[in-house]
Amino acid sequence: MNLSMKAKSLILVGLLLLGLLGTTSVTSALEVGEKAPDFKLPSTNGVDISLSDFKGKKFVFLEFYGAAFVPT
């Protein structure tokens, strides 16, 4: 590969990285008492469920798993 092809490839990779970094948003952790943002995830039966579906209910328990159900 000649020098101009390497330079073009490097510029293209740089532009792609800038595009990816420019589209990411910064999120911060919630503080105690702050309202959770609405989100939508697939349920076990294939229907999407959003947090707002439970608005007005007494309690909502969210549990997140860091990995699949595999032994550690």
Side-chain angles (χ1 to χ4, degrees):
M1 191 183 300
N2 62 25
L3 185 59
S4 70
M5 288 295 292
K6 287 182 182 179
K8 287 179 184 178
S9 297
L10 187 59
I11 290 171
L12 179 62
V13 169
L15 289 173
L16 288 172
L17 285 173
L18 282 174
L20 288 173
L21 293 174
T23 59
T24 59
S25 62
V26 177
T27 58
S28 60
L30 296 175
E31 296 295 325
V32 174
E34 284 186 312
K35 183 179 177 182
D38 194 27
F39 58 89
K40 187 180 287 191
L41 294 170
S43 68
T44 55
N45 63 3
V47 177
D48 287 347
I49 296 177
S50 66
L51 184 60
S52 61
D53 292 341
F54 298 96
K55 188 171 182 152
K57 306 289 192 243
K58 194 162 188 160
F59 297 105
V60 175
F61 178 77
L62 301 175
E63 187 170 2
F64 296 93
Y65 294 93
F69 297 104
V70 295
T72 56

